[in-house]
Amino acid sequence: MSNSESREVDLIKDPGLPAHVHRRTDTDPVAAKRAERQVAILFSLSALGTLLLIFSFIFVSDETFFFIPVMGQTNAHQLGIGLGMAIALFCIGAGAIHWAKTLMPDEEIVVQRHEFRSDDEDRADFVKTVKEGAENAGLGRRPLIKRTLGAALGLSGLTPLLLLRDLGPLPGDDLKKTNWKAGTRLVTDPGDRPIRPEDLEVGAVAQTQPEFAEGKERHLEDIAKDAVLLIRMRPEEFNLDSERLSWTYEGIIAFSKICSHMGCAVALYEQTTKHLLCPCHQSTFDVTRAAKVIFGPAARPLPQLAITVDAQGYLVAQAPFTEPVGPSFWGRLS
Ligand code: FES
């Protein structure tokens, strides 16, 4: 053996580490048993935390927590889910750390470094060592820990499923429906006043909403989906086919105000070019050609609302929108 090889062997035998201090649980079976119970309690608490999460998700309403009224604006449903998850995650982590620090083998091992790829004999040794390690961890000998850890891990696996479910119901065809129907009056927004064609001069733009029956409440999602822009031009300025032209009234044309790219409000109208501009990503729509996209990332024109006037001379919708309003991906969701 060369000098350098014998020095290496000496270093492996004595790498210069301080003397090993044994833990109490290594020498005292009573302490080991106590630590085992503590680990089991932590894993059991983790399982209870997950059960609390599941219980809160299914049975706890927004106002009461376990039949106890909750103060102020606290949402009891969310409080129960959050508490349950915090207890489950904290206790399973604390249990694992406590188990590792008190009961898992506490040996200092010196291993010589090898080439990156081990030879077949070493690989077989590794598999053997892993198996021995699993055995040494004591899962076989400590069924209490094994069972409570299994319960904690098994139940915690349900958490992501519940959270996925909490994303809410699929929108179905809600995104395709607005409150525009045949005969619905266009009213000013804000103000809720019916609009006559003569209220709009050539070049004027107005934001409108559908008229709601007396007592029917308009929600935010209605306002967001129903917003319509009215623009008045000279009729000869339109470059539309006969069907789309019949959707206009005396030079007034109506489009959904929600950008077909990602849903921003299309709010800028250039009177000279007759272009509508979305401020978010600069999609530009040509009003004279039924809001055809002439620039930007939007993939389809703004939906056009067919309009006319009713017997009292107020502007009304001829029919609902013929396509979903808003971003194009809405149409792919259902
Ligand atoms: S949201 Fe209108 S261009 Fe992107």
Side-chain angles (χ1 to χ4, degrees):
M1 191 184 289
S2 69
N3 278 350
S4 69
E5 278 171 338
S6 83
R7 210 172 129 253
E8 243 175 52
V9 171
D10 287 346
L11 269 176
I12 290 169
K13 279 184 189 153
D14 180 11
L17 295 173
H20 183 67
V21 179
H22 290 286
R23 302 167 305 188
R24 185 138 176 243
T25 46
D26 292 333
T27 54
D28 180 356
V30 176
K33 200 70 201 163
R34 188 167 50 238
E36 182 180 351
R37 276 198 299 273
Q38 289 163 346
V39 172
I41 286 169
L42 284 166
F43 286 158
S44 302
L45 284 175
S46 170
L48 286 176
T50 306
L51 288 176
L52 170 64
L53 184 154
I54 295 169
F55 180 85
S56 307
F57 186 85
I58 298 171
F59 297 112
V60 177
S61 72
D62 286 356
E63 292 86 24
T64 58
F65 184 71
F66 285 55
F67 317 110
I68 304 163
V70 175
M71 303 295 292
Q73 298 297 308
T74 310
N75 179 325
H77 176 75
Q78 300 294 345
L79 178 66
I81 289 176
L83 258 181
M85 192 187 296
I87 292 170
L89 294 180
F90 176 79
C91 289
I92 205 167
I97 291 170
H98 194 48
W99 179 19
K101 281 186 161 279
T102 54
L103 295 171
M104 285 198 182
D106 180 33
E107 292 164 25
E108 283 155 3
I109 300 168
V110 179
V111 183
Q112 192 176 12
R113 295 180 81 175
H114 296 282
E115 300 276 328
F116 275 128
R117 191 202 181 281
S118 313
D119 57 33
D120 291 342
E121 201 182 325
D122 287 345
R123 288 157 79 95
D125 272 354
F126 171 75
V127 174
K128 192 170 150 231
T129 309
V130 170
K131 284 185 179 159
E132 279 172 7
E135 232 170 77
N136 285 342
L139 276 179
R141 279 182 288 112
R142 301 187 193 281
L144 188 58
I145 287 184
K146 192 169 149 187
R147 279 197 291 270
T148 49
L149 176 61
L153 285 177
L155 282 170
S156 69
L158 293 175
T159 305
L161 290 180
L162 288 177
L163 294 184
L164 270 183
R165 166 75 179 72
D166 210 21
L167 290 177
L170 289 173
D173 66 350
D174 276 5
L175 302 172
K176 292 184 179 165
K177 290 191 209 147
T178 66
N179 290 296
W180 292 105
K181 299 183 180 56
T184 307
R185 276 186 177 164
L186 287 78
V187 293
T188 57
D189 177 25
D192 275 341
R193 288 186 308 279
I195 306 167
R196 292 177 188 276
E198 51 272 29
D199 295 337
L200 294 171
E201 294 174 357
V202 171
V205 184
Q207 178 170 305
T208 68
Q209 287 283 331
E211 186 177 46
F212 269 35
E214 192 89 17
K216 189 179 171 200
E217 204 181 332
R218 185 178 276 140
H219 298 289
L220 266 181
E221 62 187 54
D222 295 319
I223 296 170
K225 281 199 296 181
D226 295 342
V228 156
L229 276 181
L230 276 185
I231 299 165
R232 185 158 201 176
M233 301 163 42
R234 280 189 292 278
E236 61 274 20
E237 290 175 309
F238 286 127
N239 184 4
L240 303 172
D241 60 34
S242 56
E243 189 195 8
R244 289 303 181 112
L245 196 58
S246 72
W247 291 10
T248 68
Y249 187 82
E250 291 183 354
I252 302 173
I253 192 165
F255 296 109
S256 166
K257 197 183 172 184
I258 313 171
C259 183
S260 55
H261 177 225
M262 295 188 77
C264 288
V266 177
L268 306 173
Y269 176 58
E270 281 179 351
Q271 204 179 341
T272 45
T273 56
K274 313 285 184 293
H275 291 167
L276 270 172
L277 190 80
C278 176
C280 289
H281 313 100
Q282 283 71 53
S283 283
T284 309
F285 306 89
D286 184 352
V287 175
T288 63
R289 291 188 286 163
K292 186 174 178 206
V293 182
I294 54 170
F295 180 77
R300 65 185 180 106
L302 298 172
Q304 184 182 346
L305 182 70
I307 54 168
T308 183
V309 290
D310 62 11
Q312 287 75 42
Y314 290 109
L315 287 170
V316 293
Q318 287 186 35
F321 278 108
T322 56
E323 56 186 311
V325 299
S328 301
F329 63 80
W330 285 14
R332 293 199 287 269
L333 284 177
S334 55

